[in-house]
Amino acid sequence: MRKSLAAIVLVAVGLSSLGQGPFPGLPYPGGYTLLRYEIRSGAEPTSTWTIEVVPRDGRYEVGFSVSRSVPSQGFSLLGGWMQVAFPKAMEAVFPIFSLWGREIEPGKTYILRDRARLVTEDQRTFLGIPVVVARLLHPRFPDLKVTVYVPEPSHQPFLPFPPYVLVEERSGEGYSALLEIKLVEFVHEGP
């Protein structure tokens, strides 16, 4: 439970950091946007992360919600948020944001922050979003294998996080899924 709650909190913190600190803030091009991500971590219940941007009178009304099922025994709202450990799974993903706003091509290797590398594979379309499928390799986390779909720059201003991330951890001879974050709904109307 701690890992997926930590992942959700970390994603929320990452969102609030976009445009401040290490994450580049890309100007929002306008219109209505709805994003719904599902977050899975091991055998824990799936969490849902939703962002909705509604243009209203020359401003934007932005709604953000996180929904997850947690055991009721011993639960406290403050404790549920404050006792979260920083998961290495999310830390391994953050270097990808150094490429936000740049065009990347399949079949190339890009050097990222903290000596991480992004090795690109092929192009696909995911929920109508053009993406480049890549492997993220981080020297501080050699036991993790990260698959990430990097959206084309045309869609990056709508997506504060990649549309798909799978973090797998070495387990014996193979790998087992540690964390999966998947965009399951994407709607954009307007400019």
Side-chain angles (χ1 to χ4, degrees), residues 82 92 102 124-125 136 148 157:
M82 299 304 287
R102 292 180 41 196
R124 293 186 190 162
T125 300
L136 185 58
V148 61

Short mmCIF file of all heavy atoms in Angstrom, two decimals, residues 82 92 102 124-125 136 148 157:
data_model
loop_
_atom_site.label_atom_id
_atom_site.label_comp_id
_atom_site.label_asym_id
_atom_site.label_seq_id
_atom_site.Cartn_x
_atom_site.Cartn_y
_atom_site.Cartn_z
N MET A 82 1.15 11.56 5.39
CA MET A 82 2.44 11.94 5.94
C MET A 82 3.42 10.77 6.09
O MET A 82 4.61 10.99 6.18
CB MET A 82 2.25 12.63 7.30
CG MET A 82 1.43 13.90 7.21
SD MET A 82 2.10 15.10 6.05
CE MET A 82 3.51 15.67 6.96
N ALA A 92 13.17 6.98 -10.45
CA ALA A 92 13.82 6.50 -11.66
C ALA A 92 13.18 7.07 -12.92
O ALA A 92 13.81 7.11 -13.97
CB ALA A 92 13.78 4.97 -11.70
N ARG A 102 11.08 18.68 -26.32
CA ARG A 102 12.02 18.38 -27.40
C ARG A 102 11.50 17.23 -28.24
O ARG A 102 10.84 16.33 -27.75
CB ARG A 102 13.38 17.99 -26.83
CG ARG A 102 14.09 19.13 -26.16
CD ARG A 102 15.44 18.75 -25.58
NE ARG A 102 16.21 17.86 -26.43
CZ ARG A 102 17.25 17.17 -25.99
NH1 ARG A 102 17.64 17.27 -24.75
NH2 ARG A 102 17.91 16.37 -26.81
N ARG A 124 4.45 4.85 -32.04
CA ARG A 124 3.11 4.27 -31.97
C ARG A 124 2.10 5.38 -31.74
O ARG A 124 2.46 6.52 -31.49
CB ARG A 124 2.99 3.29 -30.79
CG ARG A 124 3.83 2.07 -30.92
CD ARG A 124 3.56 1.09 -29.81
NE ARG A 124 4.57 0.04 -29.85
CZ ARG A 124 4.84 -0.77 -28.87
NH1 ARG A 124 4.17 -0.69 -27.74
NH2 ARG A 124 5.76 -1.69 -28.99
N THR A 125 0.85 4.99 -31.78
CA THR A 125 -0.23 5.90 -31.37
C THR A 125 -0.91 5.25 -30.17
O THR A 125 -1.26 4.07 -30.21
CB THR A 125 -1.23 6.10 -32.51
OG1 THR A 125 -0.52 6.67 -33.62
CG2 THR A 125 -2.34 7.05 -32.10
N LEU A 136 13.99 3.49 -20.24
CA LEU A 136 14.70 4.46 -19.41
C LEU A 136 15.65 3.68 -18.50
O LEU A 136 15.21 2.80 -17.76
CB LEU A 136 13.69 5.26 -18.58
CG LEU A 136 14.21 6.41 -17.74
CD1 LEU A 136 14.94 7.43 -18.60
CD2 LEU A 136 13.05 7.07 -17.02
N VAL A 148 8.65 3.51 -21.08
CA VAL A 148 7.92 4.78 -21.05
C VAL A 148 7.52 5.16 -22.47
O VAL A 148 8.25 4.93 -23.41
CB VAL A 148 8.78 5.89 -20.38
CG1 VAL A 148 10.06 6.13 -21.15
CG2 VAL A 148 8.00 7.18 -20.21
N PRO A 157 2.17 19.53 -23.93
CA PRO A 157 1.53 20.54 -23.07
C PRO A 157 0.24 20.05 -22.41
O PRO A 157 -0.18 20.61 -21.40
CB PRO A 157 1.23 21.70 -24.03
CG PRO A 157 2.21 21.53 -25.14
CD PRO A 157 2.38 20.04 -25.29
#
